[in-house]
């Protein structure tokens, strides 16, 4: 990019490292943030994210003269969201008569959460990933797209082929992956699978050495997480739990919400990985907190899905249009992408898994058990759990969670 003369408030395209240009605005840096020595650069706030960076002047272009060019060469949902954010900013500025608010009070996002970054710098640490299911596949794809060096393993080795073609390396066993990598993530189906991966033959524990990092992304109970943390730490390893909220589609789009707890330094080391796979991440303190929070979230989601399915079938049973019910719902306070997509899939009879029904039932069961341990009632979750159990008895386990609908019509 050619060198340009810019002022505070100018809209620009900023290029960081090997990543494509991203729309931003030149702003005043926070008072305590020093400018890099020996570099002519501007402090840029990127649109569509909460990210800021010092960008060399030769890596900046004015926004308007290069807009069409950049839109042609850059694609993706995040990029389009960023461009839309610029246009919204310009419209608001026009309404204000060309005036804009003071940007000198720019705030960097709080340390206990991180936002998506349109052009991140990948860590130089070697990354391992175990488990290429609905969630893991999208995560690995986004790690590779953002330039991370990734070694993969999956129980069914054929699932690794696509990622090898995209530049990943192949690990023969979980132990080998851990021994080859600095940070190893895992994402499997349930507590038993998580334990087997660590404690089984050629498992993770056999590859752990002092300083190796292990990040458990599976949704499991706090007791399992505590056990895994203890055995990893007993070998000198560093442990972080980081279950993710989302679905296959959300994972593919790199828009997951990551809940982390455990070793804070591992959380910080995973920064670029979390930015690649999610739109935000939260650090929740000691080991077990992320597992508890994730089970609560999935308990609410699973119960809500069962209630929506119940409403659709009651509408049909009382002679009301299910389509009209959905239209009305989508205009009210409960409107959401989740409701719209799940209801549309139900009405179309499309139960291709985006989040397995058997997994949401597992999460409900674990949440109910957690409630029992805390001596706290969970009657709504218990009722929803029974509906999912009936759906499983109707061979819906490997369908999407929205297939709970079928429990009401049989």
């Amino acid at each position: 990019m050619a060198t340009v003369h810019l002022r505070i408030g100018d809209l620009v395209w900023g290029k960081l490292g090997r990543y494509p240009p991203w729309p931003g605005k030149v702003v005043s840096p926070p008072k305590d943030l020093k400018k890099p020595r020996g570099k002519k650069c501007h402090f840029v706030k990127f649109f569509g994210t909460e990210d800021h960076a010092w960008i060399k002047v030769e890596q900046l272009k004015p926004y308007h003269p290069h807009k069409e060019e950049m839109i042609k060469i850059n694609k993706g949902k995040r990029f389009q969201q960023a461009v839309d954010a610029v246009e919204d900013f310009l419209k608001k500025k026009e309404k204000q008569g060309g005036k804009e608010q003071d940007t000198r009070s720019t705030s960097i996002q709080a340390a206990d959460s991180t936002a998506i970054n349109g052009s991140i710098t990948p860590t130089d640490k070697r990354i391992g990933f175990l488990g290429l299911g609905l969630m893991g596949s999208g995560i690995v794809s986004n790690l590779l797209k953002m330039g991370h060096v990734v070694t993969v393993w999956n129980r069914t080795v054929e699932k690794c082929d696509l990622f090898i073609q995209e530049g990943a390396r192949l690990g023969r066993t979980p132990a080998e992956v851990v021994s080859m990598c600095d940070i190893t993530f895992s994402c499997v189906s349930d507590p038993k699978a998580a334990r087997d991966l660590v404690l089984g033959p050629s498992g993770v524990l056999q590859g752990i050495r002092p300083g190796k990092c292990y990040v458990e992304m599976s949704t499991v109970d706090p007791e399992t997480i505590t056990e895994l943390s203890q055995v990893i730490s007993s070998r000198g390893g560093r442990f972080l739990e980081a279950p993710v909220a989302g679905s296959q589609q959300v994972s593919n789009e790199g828009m997951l919400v990551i809940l982390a707890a455990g070793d804070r330094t591992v959380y910080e080391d995973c920064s670029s990985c979390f930015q690649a796979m999610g739109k935000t991440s939260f650090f929740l303190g000691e080991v077990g907190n992320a597992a508890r929070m994730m089970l609560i979230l999935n308990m609410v989601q699973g119960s809500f899905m069962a209630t929506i399915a119940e409403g659709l079938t009651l509408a049909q049973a009382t002679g009301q249009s299910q389509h009209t019910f959905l239209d009305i719902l989508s205009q009210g306070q409960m409107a959401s992408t989740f409701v719209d997509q799940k209801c549309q899939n139900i009405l179309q009879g499309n139960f291709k898994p985006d989040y397995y029904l058997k997994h949401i039932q597992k999460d409900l069961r674990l949440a109910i058990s957690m409630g029992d341990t805390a001596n706290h009632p969970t009657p709504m979750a218990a009722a929803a759990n029974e509906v999912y159990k009936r759906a499983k008895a109707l061979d819906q386990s490997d369908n999407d969670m929205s297939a709970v609908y079928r429990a009401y019509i049989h």
Side-chain angles (χ1 to χ4, degrees):
M1 290 188 175
T3 302
V4 293
H5 298 286
L6 298 166
R7 299 176 300 175
I8 299 295
D10 285 350
L11 298 180
V12 295
W13 296 98
K15 185 166 175 29
L16 189 63
R18 59 187 287 185
Y19 300 102
W22 202 262
K25 181 173 67 170
V26 179
V27 298
S28 296
K31 293 179 180 179
D32 59 347
L33 191 63
K34 295 182 179 179
K35 188 174 183 178
R37 289 185 177 181
K39 295 181 179 179
K40 292 183 178 181
C41 52
H42 291 285
F43 195 65
V44 176
K45 176 182 179 181
F46 291 104
F47 284 89
T49 76
E50 293 297 324
D51 298 307
H52 309 70
W54 288 105
I55 307 293
K56 296 179 182 178
V57 292
E58 60 266 27
Q59 299 298 321
L60 294 169
K61 282 186 176 181
Y63 178 79
H64 292 289
H66 298 277
K67 177 182 174 181
E68 291 187 9
E69 168 195 348
M70 296 303 176
I71 290 177
K72 285 181 180 179
I73 63 175
N74 294 317
K75 304 293 180 183
K77 183 176 180 180
R78 291 185 189 179
F79 177 79
Q80 187 55 54
Q81 288 174 337
V83 173
D84 290 344
V86 179
E87 298 306 312
D88 288 342
F89 167 78
L90 290 171
K91 288 177 183 177
K92 291 178 181 178
K93 185 177 178 181
E94 185 178 353
K95 288 181 180 179
Q96 295 169 357
K99 298 179 180 180
E100 61 178 290
Q101 296 179 342
D102 186 0
T103 59
R104 288 176 293 179
S105 60
T106 298
S107 62
I108 306 299
Q109 195 171 16
D112 62 351
S113 68
T114 57
I116 59 171
N117 189 332
S119 51
I120 66 172
T121 301
T123 178
D124 58 2
K125 296 183 183 297
R126 295 164 297 177
I127 304 301
F129 204 95
L130 312 174
L132 300 173
L134 292 184
M135 306 296 280
S137 293
I139 291 172
V140 170
S141 180
N142 283 307
L143 287 172
L144 291 169
K145 287 177 183 176
M146 291 298 178
H148 295 85
V149 177
V150 185
T151 299
V152 296
W153 174 88
N154 192 71
R155 185 173 55 182
T156 305
V157 70
E158 289 78 17
K159 286 190 175 181
C160 298
D161 293 344
L162 175 62
F163 303 101
I164 302 303
Q165 294 173 16
E166 293 180 0
R169 301 171 183 178
L170 178 65
R172 293 174 296 179
T173 66
E176 183 179 83
V177 173
V178 172
S179 64
M180 292 169 59
C181 298
D182 302 302
I183 303 173
T184 300
F185 296 86
S186 71
C187 189
V188 292
S189 58
D190 55 35
K192 182 181 184 303
R195 285 194 184 97
D196 290 346
L197 196 60
V198 173
L199 303 172
S202 301
V204 167
L205 198 58
Q206 295 184 26
I208 291 292
R209 300 290 182 272
K212 294 285 186 181
C213 300
Y214 188 63
V215 183
E216 181 58 79
M217 304 193 80
S218 313
T219 300
V220 300
D221 55 282
E223 292 76 18
T224 296
I225 280 295
T226 300
E227 178 186 355
L228 297 181
S229 174
Q230 290 173 346
V231 297
I232 295 295
S233 299
S234 71
R235 296 289 180 89
R238 300 158 60 201
F239 183 85
L240 185 76
E241 58 167 329
V244 293
S247 61
Q248 182 183 34
Q249 179 180 343
V250 173
S251 177
N252 291 342
E253 293 172 350
M255 299 292 280
L256 293 166
V257 175
I258 300 137
L259 308 183
D263 190 321
R264 180 64 188 244
T265 61
V266 179
Y267 174 72
E268 293 168 353
D269 287 344
C270 292
S271 177
S272 73
C273 297
F274 289 157
Q275 290 179 61
M277 64 181 74
K279 67 177 180 179
T280 191
S281 65
F282 296 88
F283 185 77
L284 303 179
E286 65 182 20
V287 164
N289 283 344
R292 294 182 186 96
M293 186 67 80
M294 185 57 63
L295 288 177
I296 294 167
L297 289 170
N298 283 357
M299 177 190 76
V300 171
Q301 181 174 250
S303 300
F304 184 50
M305 183 69 254
T307 300
I308 292 296
E310 189 171 294
L312 278 168
T313 52
L314 182 59
Q316 185 179 45
T318 57
Q320 305 305 304
S321 166
Q322 292 179 318
H323 291 279
T324 301
F325 168 74
L326 177 55
D327 289 341
I328 296 170
L329 196 63
S330 66
Q331 296 300 316
Q333 291 180 317
M334 289 190 295
S336 68
T337 302
F338 174 81
V339 169
D340 185 64
Q341 289 181 342
K342 294 302 183 186
C343 289
Q344 291 290 355
N345 288 344
I346 288 173
L347 297 181
Q348 295 167 13
N350 173 20
F351 298 105
K352 180 182 178 181
D354 193 39
Y355 194 99
Y356 284 118
L357 184 142
K358 61 185 177 184
H359 289 170
I360 200 70
Q361 191 273 322
K362 174 262 298 182
D363 295 343
L364 281 163
R365 173 173 53 80
L366 294 177
I368 293 166
S369 176
M370 187 171 69
D372 290 342
T373 300
N375 195 30
H376 183 81
T378 52
M380 305 304 293
N385 187 46
E386 293 303 314
V387 183
Y388 282 99
K389 285 164 63 176
R390 173 165 171 72
K392 286 178 66 178
L394 295 169
D395 295 325
Q396 301 302 311
S397 290
D398 292 323
N399 282 333
D400 185 69
M401 63 184 292
S402 56
V404 68
Y405 173 86
R406 288 179 168 167
Y408 292 98
I409 59 177
H410 285 83

